[in-house]
Amino acid sequence: MSEVRLKDALDTLKDSGVRITPQRHAILEYLISSESHPTADDIYKALESDFPNMSVATVYNNLRVFLNAGLIKELTYGDASSRFDFVTHDHYHIICDDCGTIVDFHHPGLEEVEHLASHVTGFKVNSHRLEVYGTCPICASRVATTN
Amino acid sequence: MSEVRLKDALDTLKDSGVRITPQRHAILEYLISSESHPTADDIYKALESDFPNMSVATVYNNLRVFLNAGLIKELTYGDASSRFDFVTHDHYHIICDDCGTIVDFHHPGLEEVEHLASHVTGFKVNSHRLEVYGTCPICASRVATTN
DNA sequence: TACACTGATGATAATGATTATAAAGTGAGA
DNA sequence: TCTCACTTTATAATCATTATCATCAGTGTA
């Protein structure tokens, strides 16, 4: 399953003339296997043991390569670091205000909002972004017991 | 109209024990009068002539004060600077991918999405954020004529 | 009015994420 | 093997934002 996704991703890259290096392979693999929407630094640290000489710049460079190829999405929140999410099927994110955990949830696309926005503003719409914020069950129970 | 909003905002601040300084007055006034969702630096530059000695830190400090008081909202996109938006009635934003212009549009709140997200993930929902991306009419026509 | 206290400001240094630069490495094709 | 273009690495630079701390201002009190 995830092997298929990795293979597809590597094929997509090769097809657009991007060379597959060990670093790229590893970063992609980590992105696909990770459930945690990692930051660039997360990836860097996770691959440190396998690639002791890899530079942070390589992580950033290749994340941008993957972004351009449409393989991943960048998630940005407030002042924190960007997180990266391997693109699979459409989903939105819910983010814990306390601990920053990101959980996926599925919901039909908000086409009617896009249409309304386009109609009212005259913009040609490309995409939208929706995030829900709240408190995750773990943080909720921690707060409950702390009080 | 905007005088009323300014007065209300100042009252809100005073009620929560925040001292009204000339700088705070000016920053708030600028936020209310501005249609452009300014960055901290925009504000700093706009007030430079009136307050030649004002420090950027003062702008940031007070933006945080206003955030805590619920008077403004912080909008963050990608790697660019945060923008600040005086809170009025509920609205969403549509952002031009080319020039970064932000335009408001109204749409009923997405309660059903919040409910679904909460139901599926077990989070207690606090809020959500929705942004639509596209090309504004000006950029659209520029692209059309450039080709 | 003088004094003291608390919060606000201003100058500047520090931080942290990200990007730029340049030198050295690597792999595919001639 | 030689070359060329692309990659990586190391490191410096950038830029927004935050922290620090000395100075300043406003309010309440004697």
Side-chain angles (χ1 to χ4, degrees):
Chain A
M1 167 106 183
S2 77
E3 296 78 36
V4 175
R5 289 203 272 165
L6 179 57
K7 196 166 185 320
D8 285 348
L10 294 172
D11 286 347
T12 302
L13 286 178
K14 258 186 274 185
D15 290 350
S16 46
V18 174
R19 205 179 280 169
I20 308 300
T21 65
Q23 292 90 337
R24 284 181 178 157
H25 192 285
I27 294 171
L28 259 187
E29 195 169 28
Y30 183 75
L31 278 164
I32 291 174
S33 71
S34 169
E35 300 284 320
S36 59
H37 310 82
T39 63
D41 199 57
D42 291 338
I43 299 169
Y44 177 65
K45 290 214 169 64
L47 301 181
E48 208 165 31
S49 54
D50 290 341
F51 297 84
N53 294 325
M54 187 171 62
S55 153
V56 236
T58 298
V59 176
Y60 279 102
N61 284 343
N62 290 325
L63 287 173
R64 218 173 338 159
V65 169
F66 301 158
L67 279 173
N68 291 338
L71 291 175
I72 62 175
K73 282 207 172 181
E74 179 175 9
L75 317 172
T76 60
Y77 313 106
D79 42 0
S81 307
S82 287
R83 293 172 172 278
F84 297 89
D85 190 20
F86 191 78
V87 170
T88 50
H89 25 51
D90 274 335
H91 64 266
Y92 296 113
H93 294 114
I94 183 164
I95 299 135
C96 180
D97 290 325
D98 279 16
C99 68
T101 293
I102 302 174
V103 176
D104 299 344
F105 71 92
H106 293 270
H107 187 279
L110 300 167
E111 279 80 19
E112 76 287 358
V113 179
E114 289 196 352
H115 288 151
L116 180 128
S118 171
H119 179 69
V120 172
T121 64
F123 276 52
K124 187 169 117 14
V125 170
N126 294 333
S127 64
H128 68 265
R129 157 181 180 164
L130 168 70
E131 281 143 24
V132 180
Y133 295 88
T135 312
C136 73
I138 294 172
C139 286
S141 70
R142 185 172 53 242
V143 170
T145 54
T146 309
N147 288 357
Chain B
M1 168 108 182
S2 77
E3 296 78 36
V4 175
R5 290 203 273 165
L6 178 57
K7 197 167 184 320
D8 285 348
L10 293 173
D11 287 346
T12 303
L13 286 177
K14 258 187 274 186
D15 290 350
S16 45
V18 175
R19 205 178 281 168
I20 308 301
T21 65
Q23 292 88 340
R24 283 181 179 158
H25 192 286
I27 294 171
L28 260 187
E29 196 169 27
Y30 183 74
L31 278 164
I32 292 173
S33 71
S34 167
E35 299 285 321
S36 58
H37 311 82
T39 64
D41 199 57
D42 291 337
I43 299 169
Y44 177 65
K45 290 213 170 65
L47 301 181
E48 210 165 30
S49 52
D50 289 341
F51 297 85
N53 295 325
M54 187 170 62
S55 153
V56 237
T58 298
V59 176
Y60 279 102
N61 285 341
N62 290 325
L63 287 172
R64 217 173 339 158
V65 169
F66 301 157
L67 279 173
N68 290 337
L71 292 174
I72 63 174
K73 283 206 171 181
E74 181 174 7
L75 317 172
T76 59
Y77 313 106
D79 42 0
S81 307
S82 287
R83 293 172 171 278
F84 298 88
D85 190 18
F86 190 78
V87 171
T88 50
H89 25 51
D90 275 335
H91 63 266
Y92 297 113
H93 294 114
I94 183 164
I95 299 135
C96 179
D97 291 325
D98 279 16
C99 67
T101 293
I102 302 175
V103 176
D104 299 344
F105 70 92
H106 294 270
H107 187 279
L110 300 167
E111 279 79 21
E112 76 287 357
V113 179
E114 289 196 351
H115 288 152
L116 181 129
S118 172
H119 179 69
V120 172
T121 63
F123 276 52
K124 187 169 117 13
V125 170
N126 294 333
S127 64
H128 68 266
R129 159 183 180 162
L130 168 71
E131 281 143 24
V132 179
Y133 295 88
T135 312
C136 73
I138 294 171
C139 287
S141 69
R142 185 173 51 244
V143 170
T145 55
T146 308
N147 287 358

